[in-house]
Amino acid sequence: MEAPAVASPYSKEQLLTMYRKMYLIRRFEERAGQQYTLGKIAGFCHLYIGQEAVAVGPVEAIRQDDYMLSAYRDHGQPLARGSDAGMVMAELFGRGSGYSKGKGGSMHIFDIEHHFYGGYGIVGGQIPLAAGMAFASRYRNEDRVTVCYFGDAAANQGALHETFNMASKWKLPVIYICENNRYGMGTAIARTSAVPEIYKRAAAYDMRGEPVDGMDVLKMYEAVKDAAAWCRAGKGPVLLEANTYRFRGHSMADPANYRTKQEVEEERKNDPIPKLRDYAIKNGLGADADFERIEEEVKAQVDAAVKFADESPEPSLDELWRDTIVEPGEQDVRPRERVLGVKVTNWPKYPSGQELKVTWDLEPREQAEAADKKAGLSN
């Protein structure tokens, strides 16, 4: 006798939302690659194709006012958070209607309205910044968490180890997600790391560390949902190693000769997008018609984004020296208001910090004395 089927813990709306976001990232990135080959996008362009679940699962698991920042493969996360696709594409095009007036480009998407605080071109550069943002949350007595993405190669940067030590010592509410797509540019992680399982490094800092299937959006969702609750409870940082795979090269300039075509084709069988679709249909939480409708709507959305970017003006020369520093009393520029005329009413506000006091002991003496005693260093 067969066991009764277990009801899915997810709603149809949840699954269709996740599918829409992953499909948007996939189609956006495919068109970005196309526009790069046409010469519309200059410089470097790192596509997120294959890694969509790593962006969408965490975005759905945290609150809208939680902080997020990433490395330079950074188109997927802001799209998942709700950034305007046309303005993101315009930023890639280097046009004035982009989020940073075309000055940031592909590697430096920044959308304060949706609490996405940037992609960073310096490998590992965002890791200490995330700890600073989490420190600010705790200093302000907020219950926000910070989610920070970094690639597997960044795990060997010295800043990671310095930061993990501080984050753990101060119990900072930060979730570090290592997007281990197996290659740092063109070098396999196992060739450069004595311990290629990145999550194991958390143990050295008394941090919680776990591996996650980065090709399954639901597993990413559950892992980050649990990690966020852990952080909000004051238990400290979490390191998640999302084991994923990029179907394209490191960047558009990468022919990816360091891996075989057979390897890529084998990994494509684990594509997170059809995997979610199959799960939803199997559990009666979506039909082919639902997904076909979403796909047509997303294709139209991405077509419109490319058209918007292509028709947007180049930044004027007058913009060359603007936005390099913030003048005292200068108001934030709200990109969607500037470009689309949309009234943004939920612009983030933060206390200055001048009126706040630290409410916890940064270097707890009792903890230090106990550690000394355990190590045999005290009388």
Side-chain angles (χ1 to χ4, degrees), residues 313-326:
E314 301 275 356
S316 70
L317 290 178
D318 294 338
E319 288 288 339
L320 186 60
W321 300 109
R322 289 180 185 163
D323 307 316
T324 55
I325 61 172
V326 178

Side-chain angles (χ1 to χ4, degrees), residues 5 34 48 50 76 83 103 108 115 122 126 137 153 155 161 176 211-212 225 227 230 232 296-297 320 335 365 379:
Q34 177 195 58
Y48 207 67
S83 298
K103 301 176 184 180
H108 305 102
H115 299 277
I122 301 300
Q126 72 279 18
S137 293
H161 302 280
Y176 285 104
V212 189
K225 182 180 178 181
W230 173 278
R232 293 192 214 280
E296 289 304 313
E297 290 171 355
L320 186 60
R365 183 175 297 278
N379 294 326

Side-chain angles (χ1 to χ4, degrees), residues 209-260:
E210 300 169 2
V212 189
D213 183 356
M215 303 301 279
D216 189 318
V217 69
L218 299 179
K219 290 179 180 177
M220 286 300 309
Y221 170 84
E222 293 295 346
V224 173
K225 182 180 178 181
D226 188 66
W230 173 278
C231 289
R232 293 192 214 280
K235 296 181 180 180
V238 178
L239 170 62
L240 298 176
E241 180 180 0
N243 292 296
T244 184
Y245 196 85
R246 51 174 165 80
F247 297 156
R248 303 285 287 269
H250 171 72
S251 72
M252 285 296 296
D254 175 20
N257 293 329
Y258 44 85
R259 59 187 188 182
T260 65

Side-chain angles (χ1 to χ4, degrees), residues 85-366:
M87 291 178 62
V88 176
M89 189 67 78
E91 189 63 35
L92 270 61
F93 276 48
R95 302 300 174 88
S97 57
Y99 269 95
S100 299
K101 303 180 182 178
K103 301 176 184 180
S106 170
M107 296 195 293
H108 305 102
I109 306 298
F110 210 96
D111 182 4
I112 294 177
E113 180 188 351
H114 293 98
H115 299 277
F116 183 75
Y117 286 83
Y120 293 84
I122 301 300
V123 175
Q126 72 279 18
I127 293 172
L129 294 178
M133 297 175 78
F135 185 94
S137 293
R138 191 166 183 198
Y139 190 74
R140 294 167 177 154
N141 296 311
E142 300 171 336
D143 67 342
R144 285 186 170 106
V145 301
T146 297
V147 174
C148 177
Y149 292 88
F150 63 93
D152 46 275
N156 291 331
Q157 291 284 72
L160 176 139
H161 302 280
E162 297 170 351
T163 301
F164 278 15
N165 182 62
M166 289 188 289
S168 182
K169 183 70 175 175
W170 295 335
K171 302 294 183 187
L172 299 183
V174 55
I175 302 170
Y176 285 104
I177 300 178
C178 175
E179 298 192 81
N180 188 350
N181 58 27
R182 293 170 42 184
Y183 296 96
M185 295 186 73
T187 305
I189 183 67
R191 294 180 62 192
T192 60
S193 296
V195 180
E197 299 91 345
I198 306 300
Y199 77 93
K200 291 183 178 179
R201 303 185 187 194
Y205 304 100
D206 195 26
M207 279 175 62
R208 175 179 164 186
E210 300 169 2
V212 189
D213 183 356
M215 303 301 279
D216 189 318
V217 69
L218 299 179
K219 290 179 180 177
M220 286 300 309
Y221 170 84
E222 293 295 346
V224 173
K225 182 180 178 181
D226 188 66
W230 173 278
C231 289
R232 293 192 214 280
K235 296 181 180 180
V238 178
L239 170 62
L240 298 176
E241 180 180 0
N243 292 296
T244 184
Y245 196 85
R246 51 174 165 80
F247 297 156
R248 303 285 287 269
H250 171 72
S251 72
M252 285 296 296
D254 175 20
N257 293 329
Y258 44 85
R259 59 187 188 182
T260 65
K261 183 178 180 181
Q262 181 181 0
E263 175 186 306
V264 178
E265 290 305 311
E266 193 64 28
E267 292 294 337
R268 282 187 178 275
K269 296 176 182 178
N270 203 26
D271 193 321
I273 297 177
K275 182 184 293 185
L276 179 63
R277 177 173 177 157
D278 291 345
Y279 173 90
I281 292 175
K282 181 179 178 180
N283 286 273
L285 296 170
D288 286 332
D290 295 313
F291 296 101
E292 290 167 4
R293 172 179 53 80
I294 287 173
E295 291 167 6
E296 289 304 313
E297 290 171 355
V298 167
K299 288 175 184 176
Q301 181 182 1
V302 174
D303 286 345
V306 173
K307 185 174 186 292
F308 174 82
D310 203 26
E311 294 177 352
S312 295
E314 301 275 356
S316 70
L317 290 178
D318 294 338
E319 288 288 339
L320 186 60
W321 300 109
R322 289 180 185 163
D323 307 316
T324 55
I325 61 172
V326 178
E327 300 291 348
E330 183 179 347
Q331 294 296 312
D332 282 330
V333 176
R334 304 182 181 187
R336 289 201 307 136
E337 286 190 1
R338 172 179 61 84
V339 176
L340 305 176
V342 176
K343 183 65 177 176
V344 176
T345 58
N346 60 340
W347 193 257
K349 293 182 180 180
Y350 309 108
S352 67
Q354 299 301 315
E355 71 279 17
L356 301 176
K357 295 181 179 180
V358 175
T359 56
W360 79 98
D361 191 353
L362 289 178
E363 297 177 356
R365 183 175 297 278
E366 291 182 5

